[in-house]
Amino acid sequence: MGIQYRKSRDDLRQAAESHRLAPMMRALKALHSVSQPDAITHEELEHQRRSQELLGRLAGSHVGTLWEEFTIGGMNAAWMRLKAPHGDRHAILYCHGGGYTSGNLGYSKVLASKLTRATGYDALCFDYRLAPEHHYPAALDDAIRAWDYLMLLGYGADQVVLAGDSAGGNLALALCHRLRAKGRRLPGAILLMSPWTDMTMQGSSYRERADLDPMLTAEYITAVRDAYAGDASLHSPLLSPLFGDFSGFPPVLIQVGDHEILYSDSEALYHKLKQQGVPCRFEVGQDMWHVFQMFPTKKASEAIASAARFLLEQRF
């Protein structure tokens, strides 16, 4: 009887959580949908951008934080800070996801607030230019602008945590590759949530996990990739960071859900980082979907807490 009771109670909890998350799951699914694999229509693009804004409002909880908007050379940006003063001289540069075709400051609030509350670090968010209006390397150029702004404020490179989800993870890694190519110092640590690392889509999970993934499709990935990359080589480390040289990179935390078609992108990155001697941790959310850390669930909270512990362990 006791076992049956616990099982029934767990089933009820799961059903209640599924009901509570349903609006957010619908918004996320709408965000990652296209009618055909080789193009995004104007209507679909507007729908995706509205869905992402909605998702930010549904999933966001900013208790205990302050949101301060400003501009960096005409680019919209914002700080997410704790209301209580803390005096920590570290900062997070957060690169939002959205397939390089959607995303804005409102969407950035969700994970920025979670990371700020967990770490105490101020988080800088920025509105990089989006495709198809702005092709590669527009987003990367904007990321450099945000990085340079932090350096002008007096942050040391090793005092900055570079964080990104999905396409934002791609952008974070591409930013590191470009910084090193220019002979500049790299951030103190990198946090990646469901990062998109291989625009050639060679990973087996694109096929093997297609039926498991409740959000992403290969058609969506193809459409947003082509919208951003244009005619540029998909093997460039600035588009597919997986193909770059990672020697000398700072410690990296990779978190991914096991129900994602992008699972291979994270797994392959982890193995390459380890092969090249980069300190790296690979965490898999069981039964989880793309960027599950965004949602108000227990597993999301555990993942964010793990990210904060990872940074504390680096002592940078």
Side-chain angles (χ1 to χ4, degrees), residues 12-259:
L12 288 172
R13 286 176 177 171
Q14 291 178 4
E17 182 167 276
S18 296
H19 178 74
R20 179 169 58 87
L21 294 177
M24 285 177 279
M25 298 295 278
R26 287 194 295 270
L28 191 56
K29 191 171 185 64
L31 171 63
H32 297 128
S33 62
V34 292
S35 60
Q36 50 188 339
D38 57 351
I40 299 178
T41 68
H42 175 75
E43 291 74 17
E44 286 171 334
L45 187 62
E46 290 303 312
H47 183 53
Q48 288 174 12
R49 291 175 178 175
R50 288 195 301 270
S51 295
Q52 196 167 39
E53 180 70 26
L54 173 62
L55 185 62
R57 293 199 301 269
L58 289 171
S61 175
H62 318 304
V63 176
T65 59
L66 295 172
W67 180 252
E68 303 170 2
E69 296 189 16
F70 65 105
T71 59
I72 302 173
M75 177 176 67
N76 291 331
W79 281 106
M80 180 68 75
R81 309 180 192 271
L82 291 179
K83 288 183 178 179
H86 52 86
D88 199 298
R89 192 53 184 169
H90 290 84
I92 297 170
L93 179 58
Y94 170 61
C95 306
H96 69 73
Y100 283 115
T101 61
S102 61
N104 50 38
L105 289 181
Y107 181 72
S108 299
K109 285 182 179 181
V110 181
L111 284 174
S113 63
K114 288 190 174 191
L115 290 171
T116 292
R117 290 200 302 269
T119 64
Y121 300 167
D122 295 346
L124 176 62
C125 307
F126 60 104
D127 260 352
Y128 56 83
R129 287 167 291 172
L130 300 175
E133 296 92 338
H134 304 281
H135 297 286
Y136 164 83
L140 183 54
D141 291 342
D142 290 344
I144 286 287
R145 279 204 287 167
W147 177 268
D148 288 344
Y149 176 75
L150 287 175
M151 299 304 101
L152 286 172
L153 289 182
Y155 286 96
D158 60 355
Q159 295 175 311
V160 177
V161 178
L162 193 52
D165 67 282
S166 193
N170 180 292
L171 183 58
L173 291 168
L175 173 59
C176 284
H177 282 312
R178 179 177 273 190
L179 287 171
R180 192 175 59 181
K182 291 178 174 291
R184 301 181 61 180
R185 296 177 63 193
L186 300 182
I190 303 174
L191 301 179
L192 302 173
M193 290 166 269
S194 301
W196 185 19
T197 69
D198 179 8
M199 287 196 180
T200 69
M201 301 170 63
Q202 295 178 12
S204 60
S205 60
Y206 284 89
R207 302 176 302 277
E208 296 172 354
R209 307 194 184 211
D211 293 336
L212 286 176
D213 196 320
M215 299 301 161
L216 295 179
T217 65
E219 290 78 13
Y220 168 79
I221 298 296
T222 300
V224 296
R225 175 196 70 186
D226 293 348
Y228 178 60
D231 296 330
S233 171
L234 299 180
H235 288 84
S236 166
L238 301 183
L239 286 171
S240 296
L242 179 64
F243 301 137
D245 176 12
F246 293 95
S247 56
F249 263 50
V252 180
L253 172 64
I254 305 169
Q255 295 178 337
V256 66
D258 66 346
H259 283 191

